């Protein structure tokens, strides 16, 4: 019996079979199972692109030999599955890392095939057959587009030279280098020697505590000293006494926060009788109130022609009316910014003391400039300016910015009352209630073709149709204004487009005489360069702000022709449709008078423009928006 059992054991070791009545060897069984698992997984990992055929382990069932990743794996897959038959759970991918990798590769290949099919369908819509002449027709179409859009032919300086300069690949390193180079070319670098004027200003400011009097110096020098004192935190009461000494004609302070009202009254008592002609104060809430107004009203034979007050939160409505009444005989320019107590009394005082219906024996002033900003005036108060009197009849500049009660009716009445003066500037920015109706009022008040500045920033209700009609020659209406300054920034994005900019540039610089104009109607789709003969090069836009609009490279081509010798500053911030070629073409065509361009928020611009435009070396062009940050986190550009 024992010999038979030994013979049977030797036979089982040769064919790999085990009989139930025999005692299994644990070490050998574990070794066999591990080998079987390794053989099965090796074939799958070696050729992951081919599906492996299911086979049954020769030494045991798959449920006993497979390695499970969870303790309950056998329970999930089932213990009673018969050998050689795969269950429905075995058909799913195993949750191992190699299986996940195979699934990702398969998904990527499927996405690639789908993308190639969509691209092929887009290149050949409708399933048209390819013709041998299609490539030639595409070349002809590209040549036509290049003729209509000359900016497509612009080549960056980097691409004109054969040698390629290797620069740092770091994005911020490039911009830091560009920023320092721009400062050095503009004469503002760290190694630049300051001018003699700046050296004198710095020396005086550093030793201003020992200065008793400035003597007879120009107003610009006093302003430069005041700016430097404010920047260095030395603008106090003692500095004010030196700047406001006897004999000055213009009292201009950019920051009066450290000046008391008693000091201001004492200075006005000595300056007004000696010939003070202008009071220009910013941040004057502390020093300009009822006492200052009383001091001015008590002095006879005033020669004031300009009053500008910013932040006068102590100035009451009744006091402002007294100020107008006491200075109206010679006053011609009024500017009030952020004065919250101004109201109906101030507007009534303007209509009463600047009206031509006063007694002939009384000397009547002539109001030429009126600027009101960030003031809560009611509609009734504003209507009294134009409807109750003709106080605005000779106005040259009207600025009503961020006024609460301003609407189309107020603007129409105010502009309609300007019947004598040549109105040269209008600023109605940041008044959301205004619509296209104000455009016809502005056009009608330009009867003598004197309007040169128009600022309509932030008017979201303006439309492209209204602006196109405004800049188009229409019978029975005055000609479109020949503007020098145009601000259409932050209006509705799609309403400020290439057509509007084209018509505005054409109106500002094209010849008005039909005999001189030889080009016929201007077509925006044609080549702008062929209309150069119809442009008056001594005229055109000088300052243009179209930030936040939908203009494209076509507008840059138009400005390059119509404003070739006039444009000095351009703001195209947040204009996503302008490319390197459009802006580079503009810079290459404009003259040396072009000194500043704003490109904030234009992430599409690259080194092709920043380092490749034609004026990278002369230092005369400042690109505002090539920003970087200092160590303190403060943006310097």
């Amino acid at each position: 019996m024992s010999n038979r059992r030994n013979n049977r054991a030797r036979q089982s070791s040769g064919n790999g079979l085990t009989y139930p009545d025999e005692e299994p060897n644990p070490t050998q069984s574990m070794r066999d199972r591990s080998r079987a698992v390794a053989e099965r997984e090796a074939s799958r990992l070696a050729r992951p692109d081919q599906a492996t055929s299911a086979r049954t382990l020769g030494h045991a069932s798959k449920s006993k030999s497979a390695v499970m990743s969870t303790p309950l794996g056998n329970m999930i897959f089932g213990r009673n599955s018969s050998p050689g038959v795969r269950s429905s759970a075995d058909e799913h991918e195993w949750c191992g890392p190699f299986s996940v990798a195979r699934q990702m590769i398969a998904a990527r290949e499927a996405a690639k095939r789908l993308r190639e099919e969509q691209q092929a369908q887009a290149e050949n819509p409708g399933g048209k057959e390819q013709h041998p002449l299609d490539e030639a027709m595409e070349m002809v179409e590209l040549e036509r587009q290049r003729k209509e859009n000359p900016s497509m032919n612009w080549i960056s300086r980097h691409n004109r030279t054969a040698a390629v300069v290797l620069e740092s690949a770091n994005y911020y390193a490039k911009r830091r280098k560009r920023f320092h180079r721009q400062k050095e070319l503009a004469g503002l670098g760290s190694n630049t020697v300051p001018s003699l004027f700046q050296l004198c200003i710095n020396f005086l400011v550093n030793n201003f505590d020992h200065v008793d009097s400035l003597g007879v110096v120009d107003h610009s020098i006093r302003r430069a000293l005041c700016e430097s004192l404010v920047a260095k935190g030395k603008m106090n009461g003692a500095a004010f006494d030196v700047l406001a000494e006897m004999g000055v004609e213009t009292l201009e302070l950019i920051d009066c926060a450290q000046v008391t009202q008693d000091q201001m009254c004492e200075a006005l008592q000595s300056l007004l009788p000696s010939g003070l002609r202008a009071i220009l104060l910013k941040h004057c809430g502390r020093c300009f109130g009822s006492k200052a107004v009383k001091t001015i009203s008590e002095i006879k034979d005033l020669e004031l022609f300009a009053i500008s007050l910013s932040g006068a939160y102590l100035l009451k409505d009744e006091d402002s009316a007294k100020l107008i009444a006491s200075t109206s005989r010679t006053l011609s320019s009024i500017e009030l910014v952020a004065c919250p107590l101004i109201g109906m009394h101030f507007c009534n005082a303007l209509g009463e003391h600047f009206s031509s219906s006063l007694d002939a024996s009384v000397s009547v002033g002539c109001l030429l400039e009126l600027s009101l900003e960030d003031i809560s005036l009611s509609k009734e108060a504003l209507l009294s300016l134009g409807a109750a009197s003709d106080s605005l009849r000779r106005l040259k500049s009207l600025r009503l910015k961020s006024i609460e009660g301003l609407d189309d009716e107020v603007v129409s009445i105010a502009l309609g009352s300007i019947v004598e003066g040549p109105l040269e500037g209008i600023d109605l920015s940041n008044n959301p209630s205004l619509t296209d109706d104000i455009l016809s009022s502005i056009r009608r008040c330009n009867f003598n073709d004197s309007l040169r500045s128009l600022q309509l920033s932030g008017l979201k209700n303006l439309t492209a149709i209204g602006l196109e009609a405004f800049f188009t020659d229409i019978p029975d209406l005055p000609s479109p204004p020949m503007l020098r300054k145009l601000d259409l920034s932050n209006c509705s994005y799609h309403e400020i487009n290439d057509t509007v900019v084209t018509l505005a540039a054409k109106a500002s610089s094209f010849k008005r005489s039909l005999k001189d104009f030889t080009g016929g109607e201007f077509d925006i789709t044609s080549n702008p360069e062929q209309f150069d003969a119809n442009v008056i090069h001594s005229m055109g836009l000088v300052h243009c702000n179209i930030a936040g609009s939908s203009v494209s490279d076509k507008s840059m081509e138009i400005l390059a022709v119509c404003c070739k010798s006039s444009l000095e500053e351009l703001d195209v911030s947040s204009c996503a449709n302008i490319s390197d070629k459009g802006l580079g073409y503009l810079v290459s065509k404009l003259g040396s008078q072009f000194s500043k361009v704003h490109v904030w928020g234009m992430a599409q611009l690259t080194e092709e423009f920043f380092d490749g435009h034609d004026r990278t070396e002369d230092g005369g062009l400042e690109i505002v928006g090539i920003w970087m940050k200092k160590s303190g986190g403060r943006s310097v550009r």
Side-chain angles (χ1 to χ4, degrees), residues 320-348:
S320 64
K322 293 179 183 178
L323 182 63
I324 296 299
S326 59
T327 58
S328 61
R329 185 179 62 85
T330 58
L331 194 63
S332 61
S333 177
I334 301 174
E335 180 182 15
L336 298 179
V337 179
C339 300
L341 302 181
I342 300 299
M344 179 67 78
H345 290 86
F346 169 76
C347 296
N348 291 336

Side-chain angles (χ1 to χ4, degrees), residues 189-218:
S190 57
N191 298 327
T192 303
V193 178
S195 63
L196 180 60
F197 177 80
Q198 190 61 43
L199 287 174
C200 294
I201 293 295
N202 294 338
F203 179 79
L204 285 174
V205 171
N206 294 334
N207 300 277
F208 211 75
D209 296 338
H210 307 285
V211 177
D212 295 331
S213 175
L214 294 176
V216 182
V217 296
D218 188 64

Side-chain angles (χ1 to χ4, degrees), residues 3-24:
N3 295 333
R4 186 182 303 174
R5 184 176 301 172
N6 294 334
N7 294 334
R8 188 174 298 176
R10 285 194 295 269
Q11 294 176 1
S12 65
S13 62
N15 56 17
L17 297 177
T18 305
Y19 292 92
D21 57 349
E22 294 181 355
E23 297 180 1

Side-chain angles (χ1 to χ4, degrees), residues 261-286:
Q261 191 162 186
D262 293 334
Q263 284 181 306
M264 180 61 67
C265 293
E266 183 179 351
L268 292 175
Q269 287 176 353
S270 60
L271 294 177
L272 289 172
S274 61
L276 184 64
R277 304 195 63 195
I279 300 177
L280 312 175
L281 306 176
K282 293 184 179 180
H283 304 285
C284 61
R286 180 186 180 190

Side-chain angles (χ1 to χ4, degrees), residues 312-370:
Y313 57 83
L314 294 179
L315 182 62
K316 299 180 181 179
D317 193 16
E318 295 81 3
D319 294 330
S320 64
K322 293 179 183 178
L323 182 63
I324 296 299
S326 59
T327 58
S328 61
R329 185 179 62 85
T330 58
L331 194 63
S332 61
S333 177
I334 301 174
E335 180 182 15
L336 298 179
V337 179
C339 300
L341 302 181
I342 300 299
M344 179 67 78
H345 290 86
F346 169 76
C347 296
N348 291 336
L350 288 178
E352 177 183 353
H353 295 284
F354 289 98
S355 175
S356 61
S357 61
L358 291 177
D359 189 1
S361 61
V362 180
S363 178
V364 180
C366 180
L367 187 61
L368 301 179
E369 298 178 357
L370 178 62

